[in-house]
Amino acid sequence: MVRILFTSAGRRVELTRCFRRAAEKLGLRAEIHACDLEPELSAACLEAEAAFAVPRCTAPDYVERLLDYCTRERIELLVPTIDTELDVLSRARERFAQAGTLVHVSAPDVIDVVRDKERTVSVLAEAGVPVPRTARIEDLRADPSGWTFPLFVKPVGGSASRGIGVLQSAADIRSDYPEPMLVQELLRGPEYTINMYLDARGRMRSAIPHLRISTRAGEVEKGRTVRDPRMIAIAADIAAALRGAEGVLCFQLIDDPDRGPRVFEINARFGGGYPLADHAGGRFAESLLARITGRAECASDLWREGVTMVRYDSAVFRG
């Protein structure tokens, strides 16, 4: 038996199933625990063996609630699923470790970088990773003459496509943005996600690009794995730039026909499209379970190209 807790579980049913299958491959049985604001309205919580309600991750007792639960239920692995909880869980991961729970999260310094999109661009650019030209919206407003419109605009600390937009001209720049905003050159071309696995020592074991054929609500709906050496090399450069990163991360890039690949987003967690990498043979979930059970991590580059994922709506019923 291996007990796994998914926080902010929401709709991540397929992710929990990836872990169930991974456990079976290791001769284990996964007992899935899940939590959310309203677990009775979460499909992943309804499919779990146990589920419970938690406050928002910004609540002062969030960590204590999770820590008490992990201690009481002997949770061995905690898997966060949204960006906003990474910071608080990263800073508490040693407390969880003392209770016997591995929190799947990178070091606080890494989370500080990836949660600030301005710092992300700066750190990656310094490491030689190709990124789009980026500036604060205030700098653009002060002098738009050096930019070619249209431009892309997004929040400095945004996630899940929140607050993004396109500026067709300087006249579209608002004076009342509710949060700090960045502007970037607008990239054109096919969009890719690269799922990558770093072992406990921070060494990249695998990087699996997939073409985002279509998306819905910022998450891949149809995708296909592609073995592109350029993107795998970029993943290695990102791993080298983010000292303290471990486990699963994903990043997105656009392969612009004029500029080449440009990275514009990093998530230091399991992304929504991870099930495609898992089905292609990525073994990332299996590698984490191997780690917590004292076995060798098994993520590798022996994955299949040309694997296609097409998602559809399903439902979970109770009562």
Side-chain angles (χ1 to χ4, degrees), residues 4 10 19 65 70 75 119-120 142 150 157 179 216 230 240 260 268 272 274 281 288:
I4 311 164
F19 275 85
R65 294 273 291 275
C70 288
I75 300 297
R119 285 193 65 192
T120 297
E179 58 186 313
R216 181 169 60 172
R230 300 173 304 162
Y274 169 73
L288 279 175

mmCIF file of all heavy atoms in Angstrom, residues 4 10 19 65 70 75 119-120 142 150 157 179 216 230 240 260 268 272 274 281 288:
data_model
loop_
_atom_site.group_PDB
_atom_site.id
_atom_site.type_symbol
_atom_site.label_atom_id
_atom_site.label_comp_id
_atom_site.label_asym_id
_atom_site.label_seq_id
_atom_site.Cartn_x
_atom_site.Cartn_y
_atom_site.Cartn_z
ATOM 1 N N ILE A 4 -1.286 8.328 -1.183
ATOM 2 C CA ILE A 4 -0.954 9.545 -1.927
ATOM 3 C C ILE A 4 -2.070 10.559 -1.736
ATOM 4 O O ILE A 4 -3.250 10.228 -1.876
ATOM 5 C CB ILE A 4 -0.796 9.247 -3.432
ATOM 6 C CG1 ILE A 4 0.128 8.041 -3.659
ATOM 7 C CG2 ILE A 4 -0.277 10.474 -4.173
ATOM 8 C CD1 ILE A 4 0.020 7.458 -5.054
ATOM 9 N N GLY A 10 -9.661 18.930 -7.632
ATOM 10 C CA GLY A 10 -10.508 19.380 -8.728
ATOM 11 C C GLY A 10 -10.916 18.289 -9.698
ATOM 12 O O GLY A 10 -11.524 17.286 -9.324
ATOM 13 N N PHE A 19 -1.271 7.506 -11.335
ATOM 14 C CA PHE A 19 -0.580 7.008 -10.149
ATOM 15 C C PHE A 19 -1.073 5.621 -9.754
ATOM 16 O O PHE A 19 -0.279 4.799 -9.271
ATOM 17 C CB PHE A 19 -0.736 7.998 -8.993
ATOM 18 C CG PHE A 19 0.289 9.092 -9.007
ATOM 19 C CD1 PHE A 19 0.090 10.237 -9.768
ATOM 20 C CD2 PHE A 19 1.456 8.980 -8.270
ATOM 21 C CE1 PHE A 19 1.038 11.250 -9.789
ATOM 22 C CE2 PHE A 19 2.410 9.983 -8.288
ATOM 23 C CZ PHE A 19 2.210 11.125 -9.055
ATOM 24 N N ARG A 65 -3.463 22.092 8.594
ATOM 25 C CA ARG A 65 -4.526 21.136 8.290
ATOM 26 C C ARG A 65 -3.978 19.958 7.484
ATOM 27 O O ARG A 65 -4.288 18.790 7.740
ATOM 28 C CB ARG A 65 -5.663 21.829 7.532
ATOM 29 C CG ARG A 65 -6.415 22.891 8.336
ATOM 30 C CD ARG A 65 -7.547 22.275 9.143
ATOM 31 N NE ARG A 65 -8.616 21.792 8.280
ATOM 32 C CZ ARG A 65 -9.614 22.553 7.813
ATOM 33 N NH1 ARG A 65 -9.651 23.844 8.109
ATOM 34 N NH2 ARG A 65 -10.567 22.028 7.080
ATOM 35 N N CYS A 70 -1.788 14.393 6.985
ATOM 36 C CA CYS A 70 -0.728 13.506 6.506
ATOM 37 C C CYS A 70 -0.158 12.662 7.647
ATOM 38 O O CYS A 70 0.147 11.469 7.458
ATOM 39 C CB CYS A 70 0.380 14.317 5.853
ATOM 40 S SG CYS A 70 -0.059 15.032 4.249
ATOM 41 N N ILE A 75 0.312 9.556 5.145
ATOM 42 C CA ILE A 75 0.477 9.871 3.718
ATOM 43 C C ILE A 75 1.971 9.876 3.385
ATOM 44 O O ILE A 75 2.772 10.501 4.064
ATOM 45 C CB ILE A 75 -0.145 11.240 3.389
ATOM 46 C CG1 ILE A 75 -1.645 11.255 3.719
ATOM 47 C CG2 ILE A 75 0.106 11.605 1.929
ATOM 48 C CD1 ILE A 75 -2.477 10.292 2.909
ATOM 49 N N ARG A 119 10.791 37.354 -13.535
ATOM 50 C CA ARG A 119 12.024 36.691 -13.110
ATOM 51 C C ARG A 119 12.285 35.440 -13.949
ATOM 52 O O ARG A 119 13.446 35.112 -14.252
ATOM 53 C CB ARG A 119 11.948 36.312 -11.633
ATOM 54 C CG ARG A 119 12.105 37.477 -10.670
ATOM 55 C CD ARG A 119 12.321 36.964 -9.263
ATOM 56 N NE ARG A 119 13.586 36.234 -9.144
ATOM 57 C CZ ARG A 119 13.916 35.488 -8.085
ATOM 58 N NH1 ARG A 119 13.065 35.364 -7.076
ATOM 59 N NH2 ARG A 119 15.069 34.858 -8.048
ATOM 60 N N THR A 120 11.227 34.730 -14.319
ATOM 61 C CA THR A 120 11.386 33.541 -15.156
ATOM 62 C C THR A 120 12.115 33.897 -16.444
ATOM 63 O O THR A 120 13.095 33.238 -16.825
ATOM 64 C CB THR A 120 10.018 32.925 -15.497
ATOM 65 O OG1 THR A 120 9.376 32.488 -14.299
ATOM 66 C CG2 THR A 120 10.175 31.739 -16.426
ATOM 67 N N ALA A 142 5.318 54.055 -21.459
ATOM 68 C CA ALA A 142 6.186 55.235 -21.494
ATOM 69 C C ALA A 142 6.817 55.443 -22.861
ATOM 70 O O ALA A 142 7.012 56.581 -23.295
ATOM 71 C CB ALA A 142 7.267 55.103 -20.424
ATOM 72 N N PRO A 150 1.086 43.599 -33.230
ATOM 73 C CA PRO A 150 0.464 43.378 -31.927
ATOM 74 C C PRO A 150 1.427 42.748 -30.926
ATOM 75 O O PRO A 150 2.426 42.132 -31.297
ATOM 76 C CB PRO A 150 -0.697 42.435 -32.245
ATOM 77 C CG PRO A 150 -0.249 41.690 -33.456
ATOM 78 C CD PRO A 150 0.565 42.671 -34.260
ATOM 79 N N GLY A 157 2.174 37.424 -12.144
ATOM 80 C CA GLY A 157 1.986 36.233 -11.327
ATOM 81 C C GLY A 157 0.794 35.404 -11.735
ATOM 82 O O GLY A 157 0.209 34.703 -10.914
ATOM 83 N N GLU A 179 -3.456 44.321 -11.568
ATOM 84 C CA GLU A 179 -2.258 43.688 -11.021
ATOM 85 C C GLU A 179 -1.091 43.992 -11.949
ATOM 86 O O GLU A 179 -1.280 44.435 -13.083
ATOM 87 C CB GLU A 179 -2.464 42.178 -10.888
ATOM 88 C CG GLU A 179 -2.805 41.488 -12.201
ATOM 89 C CD GLU A 179 -3.136 40.018 -11.999
ATOM 90 O OE1 GLU A 179 -2.368 39.332 -11.286
ATOM 91 O OE2 GLU A 179 -4.150 39.557 -12.558
ATOM 92 N N ARG A 216 -8.408 23.832 -24.395
ATOM 93 C CA ARG A 216 -9.678 24.326 -23.857
ATOM 94 C C ARG A 216 -9.410 24.821 -22.449
ATOM 95 O O ARG A 216 -8.866 24.094 -21.627
ATOM 96 C CB ARG A 216 -10.727 23.223 -23.850
ATOM 97 C CG ARG A 216 -12.089 23.688 -23.328
ATOM 98 C CD ARG A 216 -13.192 22.668 -23.566
ATOM 99 N NE ARG A 216 -12.915 21.403 -22.901
ATOM 100 C CZ ARG A 216 -13.800 20.416 -22.833
ATOM 101 N NH1 ARG A 216 -14.986 20.535 -23.410
ATOM 102 N NH2 ARG A 216 -13.485 19.296 -22.216
ATOM 103 N N ARG A 230 15.639 19.951 -30.430
ATOM 104 C CA ARG A 230 15.775 21.344 -29.976
ATOM 105 C C ARG A 230 15.076 21.549 -28.651
ATOM 106 O O ARG A 230 15.601 22.207 -27.737
ATOM 107 C CB ARG A 230 15.186 22.295 -31.011
ATOM 108 C CG ARG A 230 15.811 22.263 -32.395
ATOM 109 C CD ARG A 230 15.002 23.121 -33.341
ATOM 110 N NE ARG A 230 13.613 22.680 -33.367
ATOM 111 C CZ ARG A 230 12.583 23.418 -33.817
ATOM 112 N NH1 ARG A 230 12.801 24.652 -34.258
ATOM 113 N NH2 ARG A 230 11.366 22.932 -33.827
ATOM 114 N N ALA A 240 19.289 23.030 -15.842
ATOM 115 C CA ALA A 240 20.548 23.566 -15.338
ATOM 116 C C ALA A 240 20.370 24.944 -14.717
ATOM 117 O O ALA A 240 21.070 25.304 -13.761
ATOM 118 C CB ALA A 240 21.576 23.623 -16.466
ATOM 119 N N GLY A 260 12.221 30.999 -34.181
ATOM 120 C CA GLY A 260 12.518 29.695 -33.620
ATOM 121 C C GLY A 260 11.780 29.492 -32.307
ATOM 122 O O GLY A 260 10.931 30.309 -31.922
ATOM 123 N N ALA A 268 6.051 24.423 -12.175
ATOM 124 C CA ALA A 268 6.852 23.478 -11.393
ATOM 125 C C ALA A 268 5.944 22.456 -10.708
ATOM 126 O O ALA A 268 5.941 22.316 -9.475
ATOM 127 C CB ALA A 268 7.691 24.233 -10.362
ATOM 128 N N GLY A 272 -1.520 19.831 -16.791
ATOM 129 C CA GLY A 272 -2.764 19.180 -17.189
ATOM 130 C C GLY A 272 -2.584 18.154 -18.286
ATOM 131 O O GLY A 272 -3.373 17.217 -18.421
ATOM 132 N N TYR A 274 -0.021 16.066 -18.537
ATOM 133 C CA TYR A 274 0.882 14.973 -18.169
ATOM 134 C C TYR A 274 0.374 13.592 -18.572
ATOM 135 O O TYR A 274 1.198 12.737 -18.963
ATOM 136 C CB TYR A 274 1.199 14.979 -16.663
ATOM 137 C CG TYR A 274 1.902 13.698 -16.266
ATOM 138 C CD1 TYR A 274 3.223 13.496 -16.639
ATOM 139 C CD2 TYR A 274 1.224 12.669 -15.620
ATOM 140 C CE1 TYR A 274 3.861 12.289 -16.353
ATOM 141 C CE2 TYR A 274 1.850 11.465 -15.333
ATOM 142 C CZ TYR A 274 3.162 11.282 -15.704
ATOM 143 O OH TYR A 274 3.783 10.094 -15.431
ATOM 144 N N GLY A 281 4.917 6.559 -22.136
ATOM 145 C CA GLY A 281 5.999 5.813 -21.505
ATOM 146 C C GLY A 281 6.924 6.643 -20.644
ATOM 147 O O GLY A 281 8.038 6.202 -20.318
ATOM 148 N N LEU A 288 8.375 8.644 -9.101
ATOM 149 C CA LEU A 288 8.151 9.223 -7.775
ATOM 150 C C LEU A 288 7.794 8.145 -6.758
ATOM 151 O O LEU A 288 8.275 8.164 -5.620
ATOM 152 C CB LEU A 288 7.041 10.273 -7.831
ATOM 153 C CG LEU A 288 7.421 11.663 -8.325
ATOM 154 C CD1 LEU A 288 6.180 12.541 -8.432
ATOM 155 C CD2 LEU A 288 8.446 12.304 -7.383
#
